[in-house]
């Protein structure tokens, strides 16, 4: 599971001061757009009793923010305890090479049990290609370590199951997560994965394939974290 806690007040200030001192890399995205870049927190200042963060302005941010209607930003980073942290802000202004944004009300800290799996929203799918075979997998569940799914479409007419083989490697996989109340539609790119389990359903004549993620870039890791956390929040809201 994903256990969450919120940092507020002095703990929040101390956290950001640590990011400034260590020049820690953080990921910033614009809500509602497929825009994500790496940046760092460059300073903290107080104006009329309010605290503000300055971040190094990443390439293309001004245009992306304009396209989305303003500086509605989402951030993820790994904290000093190696856990994942998330926060979002609205508004701000450009100051030379930096962007000044208001302090968030809180930062969420995620503590994830190893390879916690969530059942995905209907319509979540993955596109894959391997030599002569390409197709689409309906994703049943997903974790930070892999996923389980069923091949729904492929280009091999008349082929018999299973279409993939044990320990087969797949490259440049795109997982398409559906838009929900808390999350804009996202695409997560997996550089490399391996088929680690094949479950054959004789009655339905289909196979379920379990894939283990072997190579995931930092930005894509952050997006996958946001998607899994967003799915869990949607589930909790419906209870």
């Amino acid at each position: 599971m994903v256990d969450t806690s919120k940092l507020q007040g002095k703990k929040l200030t101390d956290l950001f001061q640590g990011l400034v001192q260590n020049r820690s890399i953080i990921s910033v995205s614009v809500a509602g757009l497929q825009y994500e870049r790496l940046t760092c927190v460059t300073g903290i200042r107080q104006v009329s009793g309010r605290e503000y963060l300055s971040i190094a302005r990443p390439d293309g941010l001004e245009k992306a923010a304009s396209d989305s209607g303003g500086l509605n930003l989402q951030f993820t980073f790994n904290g000093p305890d190696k856990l994942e942290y998330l926060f979002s802000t609205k508004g701000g202004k450009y100051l030379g090479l930096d962007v000044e944004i208001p302090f968030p009300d809180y930062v969420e800290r995620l503590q994830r049990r190893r390879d916690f799996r969530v059942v995905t929203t209907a319509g979540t799918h993955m596109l894959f290609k391997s030599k002569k075979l390409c197709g689409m997998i309906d994703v049943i569940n997903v974790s930070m370590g892999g996923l389980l799914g069923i091949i729904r479409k492929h280009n091999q007419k008349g082929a018999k199951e299973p279409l993939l083989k044990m320990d087969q490697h797949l490259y440049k996989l795109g997982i398409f997560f559906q838009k929900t109340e808390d999350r804009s539609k996202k695409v997560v790119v997996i550089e490399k994965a391996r088929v680690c389990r094949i479950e054959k359903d004789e009655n339905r004549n289909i196979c379920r394939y379990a894939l283990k993620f072997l190579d995931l870039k930092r930005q894509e890791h952050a997006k996958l974290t946001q998607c899994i956390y967003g799915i869990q929040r949607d589930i909790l809201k419906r209870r």
Side-chain angles (χ1 to χ4, degrees):
M1 296 181 63
V2 179
D3 300 321
T4 66
S5 58
K6 293 182 179 180
L7 277 69
Q8 297 173 293
K10 187 177 184 302
K11 290 183 178 180
L12 190 57
T13 303
D14 291 344
L15 176 67
F16 287 137
Q17 286 177 340
L19 294 181
V20 174
Q21 292 169 2
N22 297 323
R23 301 288 291 181
S24 302
I25 299 298
I26 66 176
S27 173
V28 57
S29 59
V30 176
L33 293 182
Q34 295 299 322
Y35 173 93
E36 189 163 7
R37 298 290 188 274
L38 297 180
T39 184
C40 62
V41 180
T42 58
I44 299 173
R45 74 175 184 134
Q46 196 171 71
V47 180
S48 301
R50 290 197 64 184
E51 290 183 295
Y52 293 84
L53 293 175
S54 291
I55 64 168
R57 188 196 301 198
D59 293 340
L61 176 63
E62 192 168 357
K63 182 181 185 304
S66 176
D67 291 344
S68 71
L71 282 166
N72 299 320
L73 307 179
Q74 300 171 336
F75 298 86
T76 63
F77 62 93
N78 291 328
D81 51 8
K82 307 303 182 183
L83 297 179
E84 199 86 23
Y85 289 73
L86 309 173
F87 71 94
S88 59
T89 63
K90 290 186 177 181
K93 59 184 179 180
Y94 302 101
L95 296 174
L97 297 178
D98 289 346
V99 184
E100 188 174 78
I101 56 176
F103 253 49
D105 294 330
Y106 58 86
V107 171
E108 292 179 292
R109 177 172 56 195
L110 311 184
Q111 188 163 1
R112 194 178 302 102
R113 296 182 188 174
R114 183 176 177 84
D115 284 350
F116 170 64
R117 289 186 176 272
V118 293
V119 176
T120 54
T121 308
T124 301
H125 62 277
M126 184 189 77
L127 299 181
F128 73 95
K129 185 176 182 180
S130 176
K131 294 183 179 180
K132 296 181 179 181
L133 175 65
C134 61
M136 177 187 294
I137 290 179
D138 282 335
V139 180
I140 299 170
N141 59 50
V142 66
S143 74
M144 293 304 298
L147 61 78
L148 180 69
I150 297 171
I151 296 179
R152 179 160 61 92
K153 295 180 180 179
H154 59 84
N155 64 342
Q156 299 296 306
K157 293 183 179 180
K160 297 181 179 179
E161 298 282 1
L163 293 168
L164 299 176
K165 299 178 181 179
M166 277 293 296
D167 295 322
Q168 181 175 350
H169 286 158
L170 303 176
Y171 300 88
K172 290 291 184 182
L173 312 172
I175 308 175
F176 293 75
F177 288 90
Q178 297 303 300
K179 183 176 181 180
T180 65
E181 182 179 348
D182 286 342
R183 296 177 293 120
S184 60
K185 186 173 182 178
K186 285 187 179 291
V187 181
V188 177
V189 176
I190 309 298
E191 295 294 322
K192 183 179 179 182
R194 176 175 59 84
V195 180
C196 61
R197 191 174 73 255
I198 300 174
E199 304 172 355
K200 189 161 187 179
D201 187 330
E202 300 289 352
N203 293 327
R204 299 170 59 193
N205 194 32
I206 61 171
C207 287
R208 289 180 288 271
Y209 299 92
L211 304 183
K212 180 178 178 60
F213 302 151
L214 301 179
D215 188 4
L216 189 64
K217 290 184 177 179
R218 182 185 178 91
Q219 287 180 313
E220 302 304 310
H221 183 278
K223 284 197 286 187
L224 183 58
T225 299
Q226 287 180 324
C227 289
I228 290 176
Y229 180 54
I231 291 170
Q232 189 196 28
R233 282 196 298 187
D234 294 337
I235 292 172
L236 293 175
K237 282 182 179 180
R238 293 196 295 267
R239 287 181 180 176

